[in-house]
Amino acid sequence: MAPQRVVVLVPYAQLMAEARQAWARRNPAGFAPRFETSRNWASNLMPFSPGPADWSGDRARDSLVAAALVDQVARARADSALRLALGSRLVEATQTLAALAAAQDPGFRAAWGQQMMAKLGPGLLSPAWEGLVASLAITWASSSAYATDVLWSAWAEPGEVADALVICQGFQADPLAGALRQRWGEDRSPIWRLHEEVGGGDLGDVPARSLTASAPGLRGHRCEDAEDEAQRSTACVIRHLEEGRHPVALLANDRLLTRRVSAMLHNVGVAVRDETGWKLSTTHAAAQVMALLRAADARASMDDVLDALKLSPTWSDTVAQRLESLARRHGVAIWRAAVAHPELALAVPAQWRDLLTGLHEARSLSAWLLSLGSALVVGGWWDALTQDAAGQQLITGLRLHPGSEAELASVGLPDDGEQTGTERRKWSLKAFTAWVVEVLEGATFRMPLQAEAQVVILPMAQQVARAFGATVVPGCDERNLPTHPEPPAPWSKEQRETLGLPSREALGEAALQAWRALLENPHVDLLWRTQDRGEETAPNAWVLTLHAAGIAQASDPRSSQRLAGVVPERPMPSAASLLPERLSASAYQDLRDCPYRFFALRQLRLQDAEELQGEPDQQDMGNWLHAVLRGFHEERRDARPGRQADVAALERWAKKVAEEMGLLGDDGQAGFLPYQAVWPAMREGYLDWLSAFEAQADRAGPSFVAAEVERNAQAGRWCLMGKLDRIDEQSSPEGRLPMVIDYKTERRERTLDRVRDPLEDTQLAFYAALLPQDNLRAAYLSITDKRGSGRSAATLLIEQPEVLAAREALLRGIEADMERVAAGQAMPALGEGRVCEFCAARGLCRRDDWSAG
């Protein structure tokens, strides 16, 4: 038979080129057979254009068809979130049936579907959602046309385009190839198995050479964790290349680890060809589009909007940095609050605000695609996407090219014979974003293949009939390389058997055959980890069998280099020229705690950037309580309306301040619930104290004057500044005597420690120095949710009786300390005490390095 009259079907596309090259080496002269996959052969015979409701394998189209099918039968019985989940499950279920349906003669495919429905029984017709998905999947798969249908037509009639159809079978049988063999006849359609089948499911049948320590080419590597495994895998690949074994096959059992290995190989200049790819949603191009859609949400946070703005090439980094700085300064965490803020609104570019606002309204899918494309152009992303391989696939997959959106407008089931449901339906931004996510998650991105690559990344099943100089197999643990892979889609064991889908046992047998074929390679490195993310992980069962047989345990392939450790010296900077002219109580406390802390945080002005949005913490609780008490007392003054009125007023201020501070959030009060739970006890304890305090005021005791009062004073040539939580006054022979009160929500024991040594307490003495009076009182007001009385009361006034002496000592100390700093005295890092545990400058002073040394 003439070779040119033979079509050879190979199980996957990469084998076409390999087979042609192998034939050319054996038969350099004359004609060659046609090496094809079934899909490639069909596309060469006739291009395929799926109909409005056909299965296409394109997630953008298929998700729309699935949504239309679900809406048709479940619109009145499920909310939108459930319908979205059902549509996703329907796509998954139909994908598993597509290969079986395509293997049916198109003229009998509908009957096959009816037969499957009958065999599966009345359970599919039950109202359960699983039955609904299964019924729709069979209906969709059996009523669809497929790209390979041309192979059943006269174009591919036996004897028309070829006289023989040779089927090369991999580790699993192809349903379509088997069906075509029946059509062509066994005489004209022989099967060539690309691997040697070994019966049974036990490794005992594997040739002994692969299972003994005398096989030098088979090595096992026990790794500590994923990073150790990635580094060792990279070192194994490089070692094989250095020894002249190329190309090296890198089997992708663990995609995340494989990408890490690929990145390390790229860094050392190794040419890598990845035949597996990864989800399009994980690419930088997808991250840019998703950042824009998140920012366009009417409930978007400042973090979401700033992320998108920083990614946009249209606006400079300065614009985003200024907006972020203002948002942090004013504590604005929600985008809509920033647009309404008088100062932040001026920093928002008008074009950026219009871009986001233009994506708020609901519209048809076609209109959404046009709007998203326009937004990408305005934001400067379009040009970058068109120059990036992943960006090009994203634009094509989402139909963002002008005019291509019309293709999706005809997809789905017609509502009235004129327009499809896709075209008539108005999509919200949330629904459109969910569709984009589904498309990006369902698409696989593959880098453009390099013709000459030193390393080839491929699945284990695609190693068959290919020659490699060496094979490196990371991920040989029980999680990433199961002996019996889990079948995809929501089909039970009985349903899979009825439909003709591969069972779990069949998948396990195919995996075992691939493993056996792997062990026949001349040089193989098997790697597995003993723990993954803190959890212990066992090797794959096949690896354990090899280990028991005594395979060689390889030494660490990484080269080591001995480095001499150098212990850094304790930092002793001096910065007299950076001395601040104004001091707060916390700034001077930093100087007393650690001179280097003062140097870093006050002279260099290095500060941690607070999160714009996050769960409320203890500091938020303190700020909230301060604001509540300020509003309550400024409104109440010396009026005493009674306990019930005071409770109502505090509750009103508590809610108002929480809303103004954004503590309640858009999603209810979940983040602030722990603090709201203790608020009633704090409120009642505070009112208990207030009633006793005001009863004392009737006997010439203190009474409220002002809250959150800013004051300045001088200490030599330095200006002292601060904000006093509260000032009360009481009568005395010398006139009105002020009393400074500072609220504390910390542990009671810590507040009591503050007043034990008056010369060690900076805060009350500093606040007393801000007042000009020669005589005054100062105290902390400890507010907790305790239950008790006396010193165990929920709210307790803790006075500093020696505040006047402490004030004088503090003023002298400030002048002396600041003069020494101004004279250039060194600012050493002390590295001692409790303050080091939570110091923001700890990483800068490197205390952990020099203190350990």
Side-chain angles (χ1 to χ4, degrees):
M1 186 180 298
Q4 67 270 23
R5 295 290 297 171
V6 176
V7 173
V8 180
L9 286 186
V10 295
Y12 54 92
Q14 288 78 9
L15 268 187
M16 292 191 298
E18 299 256 358
R20 294 183 189 118
Q21 293 171 5
W23 180 272
R25 287 193 296 269
R26 288 287 191 93
N27 304 278
F31 294 102
R34 294 177 58 181
F35 296 96
E36 305 276 10
T37 63
S38 56
R39 185 67 181 261
N40 193 66
W41 185 25
S43 64
N44 288 336
L45 290 173
M46 179 182 293
F48 175 70
S49 179
D54 283 341
W55 170 264
S56 64
D58 179 351
R59 196 58 172 258
R61 294 178 58 95
D62 294 337
S63 61
L64 296 177
V65 178
L69 288 169
V70 171
D71 282 349
Q72 191 177 55
V73 298
R75 178 176 299 177
R77 293 188 290 167
D79 59 25
S80 58
L82 179 56
R83 290 202 303 273
L84 181 64
L86 290 175
S88 180
R89 294 290 295 273
L90 176 56
V91 171
E92 181 185 4
T94 309
Q95 185 175 13
T96 61
L97 293 179
L100 292 178
Q104 309 303 317
D105 188 314
F108 300 97
R109 187 171 296 146
W112 168 83
Q114 293 173 358
Q115 183 182 12
M116 293 299 103
M117 292 280 284
K119 283 186 176 181
L120 290 174
L124 289 181
L125 303 179
S126 67
W129 299 121
E130 293 82 357
L132 175 64
V133 169
S135 299
L136 289 176
I138 295 174
T139 302
W140 186 7
S142 63
S143 62
S144 175
Y146 296 88
T148 54
D149 284 355
V150 67
L151 301 182
W152 297 92
S153 69
W155 292 82
E157 189 76 23
E160 182 69 25
V161 295
D163 296 328
L165 178 67
V166 177
I167 298 173
C168 296
Q169 183 173 308
F171 299 118
Q172 280 186 278
D174 178 15
L176 178 58
L180 292 177
R181 186 169 187 251
Q182 291 182 358
R183 183 169 186 254
W184 282 66
E186 295 183 2
D187 294 339
R188 304 176 70 175
S189 183
I191 293 180
W192 291 353
R193 301 191 185 280
L194 298 180
H195 65 99
E196 179 183 356
E197 283 198 358
V198 181
D202 195 338
L203 275 173
D205 295 325
V206 177
R209 183 187 66 80
S210 300
L211 297 178
T212 63
S214 61
L218 183 62
R219 300 183 181 90
H221 299 260
R222 180 180 180 273
C223 307
E224 294 298 324
D225 52 28
E227 180 60 23
D228 184 33
E229 187 176 2
Q231 292 181 11
R232 289 188 184 223
S233 300
T234 305
C236 288
V237 171
I238 294 174
R239 183 197 65 207
H240 287 306
L241 293 176
E242 290 175 344
E243 295 176 0
R245 305 184 191 109
H246 57 80
V248 175
L250 179 63
L251 301 192
N253 295 324
D254 182 346
R255 282 301 309 157
L256 186 61
L257 183 138
T258 305
R259 289 188 66 178
R260 173 73 174 137
V261 174
S262 176
M264 288 192 284
L265 290 173
H266 278 295
N267 286 340
V268 295
V270 175
V272 179
R273 183 171 76 235
D274 191 340
E275 296 181 358
T276 60
W278 52 87
K279 288 185 177 182
L280 184 59
S281 59
T282 63
T283 63
H284 181 62
Q288 291 176 305
V289 173
M290 291 309 303
L292 173 59
L293 292 175
R294 283 192 298 268
D297 193 314
R299 300 168 299 175
S301 67
M302 279 300 300
D303 282 329
D304 289 336
V305 175
L306 287 171
D307 285 345
L309 185 58
K310 290 175 182 178
L311 288 172
S312 171
T314 298
W315 290 277
S316 65
D317 293 339
T318 306
V319 174
Q321 290 170 1
R322 171 168 169 71
L323 185 58
E324 182 175 9
S325 176
L326 290 172
R328 294 186 188 281
R329 182 190 308 169
H330 296 285
V332 176
I334 305 299
W335 169 244
R336 65 168 179 263
V339 177
H341 193 280
E343 189 173 352
L344 270 73
L346 296 176
V348 177
Q351 196 177 20
W352 174 252
R353 183 179 61 249
D354 295 341
L355 184 153
L356 298 183
T357 304
L359 297 176
H360 286 172
E361 298 297 328
R363 64 205 74 184
S364 67
L365 179 60
S366 298
W368 266 119
L369 296 176
L370 291 172
S371 298
L372 179 57
S374 299
L376 293 173
V377 172
V378 174
W381 288 289
W382 185 267
D383 290 340
L385 291 175
T386 57
Q387 297 171 16
D388 174 65
Q392 294 171 7
Q393 183 176 337
L394 180 146
I395 290 174
T396 302
L398 292 177
R399 276 63 170 186
L400 296 180
H401 281 294
S404 61
E405 76 283 349
E407 177 187 347
L408 298 182
S410 61
V411 173
L413 305 179
D415 279 353
D416 54 12
E418 296 181 1
Q419 287 183 311
T420 65
T422 299
E423 185 65 15
R424 291 170 57 88
R425 172 187 167 195
K426 295 296 183 183
W427 295 54
S428 66
L429 173 61
K430 181 179 179 180
F432 176 69
T433 302
W435 176 78
V436 171
V437 169
E438 186 173 1
V439 173
L440 298 180
E441 284 285 321
T444 300
F445 169 67
R446 293 181 176 86
M447 289 290 293
L449 299 182
Q450 302 182 36
E452 297 296 331
Q454 297 169 283
V455 178
V456 180
I457 300 175
L458 70 162
M460 185 179 291
Q462 292 186 10
Q463 59 169 319
V464 64
R466 302 178 72 176
F468 294 101
T471 305
V472 177
V473 195
C476 292
D477 54 80
E478 58 183 355
R479 294 183 181 178
N480 294 295
L481 186 60
T483 56
H484 289 79
E486 196 65 32
W491 302 105
S492 66
K493 179 179 179 181
E494 293 75 15
Q495 288 174 333
R496 299 186 71 85
E497 183 178 351
T498 301
L499 292 169
L501 292 169
S503 64
R504 194 166 187 265
E505 291 72 20
L507 294 175
E509 181 62 28
L512 180 59
Q513 296 291 349
W515 176 259
R516 288 166 169 162
L518 164 69
L519 298 182
E520 289 300 301
N521 290 319
H523 299 279
V524 180
D525 286 289
L526 306 175
L527 299 98
W528 64 93
R529 71 198 73 161
T530 58
Q531 62 127 350
D532 187 21
R533 301 174 185 176
E535 297 182 7
E536 292 188 3
T537 303
N540 168 279
W542 301 329
V543 174
L544 290 175
T545 303
L546 293 175
H547 184 73
I551 66 167
Q553 294 298 306
S555 58
D556 194 334
R558 295 169 291 188
S559 59
S560 61
Q561 182 179 3
R562 185 177 296 275
L563 300 175
V566 178
V567 179
E569 297 181 359
R570 183 193 304 258
M572 307 258 310
S574 175
S577 60
L578 298 178
L579 201 61
E581 296 180 356
R582 297 164 63 86
L583 278 180
S584 65
S586 58
Y588 185 60
Q589 185 68 58
D590 286 342
L591 181 61
R592 298 186 71 178
D593 289 337
C594 175
Y596 188 88
R597 178 184 174 98
F598 180 83
F599 162 75
L601 303 185
R602 306 299 174 175
Q603 292 184 272
L604 297 183
R605 299 180 182 179
L606 302 177
Q607 298 290 336
D608 279 336
E610 296 183 3
E611 293 293 332
L612 283 171
Q613 189 174 31
E615 289 297 317
D617 55 19
Q618 189 64 35
Q619 183 178 0
D620 292 316
M621 175 65 174
N623 294 336
W624 169 76
L625 183 60
H626 279 61
V628 169
L629 294 180
R630 175 185 181 177
F632 170 73
H633 280 291
E634 287 182 342
E635 179 183 71
R636 183 179 183 269
R637 295 293 172 178
D638 286 332
R640 302 179 186 183
R643 183 65 170 244
Q644 188 173 357
D646 283 342
V647 170
L650 277 174
E651 283 299 311
R652 176 165 45 83
W653 277 101
K655 183 177 181 180
K656 178 181 179 182
V657 173
E659 290 175 348
E660 290 175 351
M661 293 179 64
L663 297 178
L664 301 185
D666 289 335
D667 55 349
Q669 304 176 6
F672 200 50
L673 275 177
Y675 303 104
Q676 287 181 310
V678 301
W679 164 240
M682 297 176 71
R683 180 195 65 215
E684 295 304 316
Y686 181 79
L687 290 178
D688 288 342
W689 168 83
L690 183 62
S691 62
F693 189 69
E694 290 182 334
Q696 176 190 10
D698 288 339
R699 301 187 297 274
S703 60
F704 175 81
V705 174
E708 302 296 327
V709 184
E710 293 186 359
R711 290 286 188 268
N712 295 319
Q714 287 295 129
R717 57 192 176 106
W718 282 274
C719 175
L720 309 184
M721 62 177 186
K723 181 182 289 187
L724 308 180
D725 288 349
R726 174 172 168 178
I727 298 177
D728 283 21
E729 286 185 352
Q730 72 177 93
S731 299
S732 74
E734 301 173 1
R736 301 293 290 174
L737 180 68
M739 181 177 186
V740 177
I741 296 179
D742 190 70
Y743 300 131
K744 291 297 181 187
T745 58
E746 63 192 9
R747 290 183 301 107
R748 176 68 51 77
E749 293 75 13
R750 185 176 180 188
T751 308
L752 291 170
D753 286 340
R754 291 178 181 272
V755 300
R756 284 197 172 92
D757 188 343
L759 299 183
E760 290 296 324
D761 181 23
T762 300
Q763 195 166 11
L764 279 184
F766 194 98
Y767 289 163
L770 296 177
L771 296 180
Q773 288 85 351
D774 293 333
N775 194 13
L776 52 80
R777 296 171 63 189
Y780 293 115
L781 187 61
S782 174
I783 305 175
T784 68
D785 60 335
K786 285 177 173 288
R787 296 284 195 277
S789 59
R791 296 182 68 84
S792 298
T795 300
L796 179 66
L797 189 72
I798 304 173
E799 188 168 356
Q800 175 55 270
E802 304 294 333
V803 68
L804 297 178
R807 178 174 70 174
E808 295 305 317
L810 180 78
L811 290 173
R812 292 194 300 270
I814 289 176
E815 288 191 61
D817 291 342
M818 296 302 291
E819 288 294 348
R820 284 196 294 269
V821 175
Q825 183 167 325
M827 311 283 286
L830 300 183
E832 301 172 355
R834 182 178 180 277
V835 70
C836 272
E837 298 303 318
F838 305 101
C839 180
R842 180 168 178 164
L844 187 63
C845 80
R846 302 182 69 103
R847 177 251 194 185
D848 295 306
D849 295 327
W850 50 261
S851 62

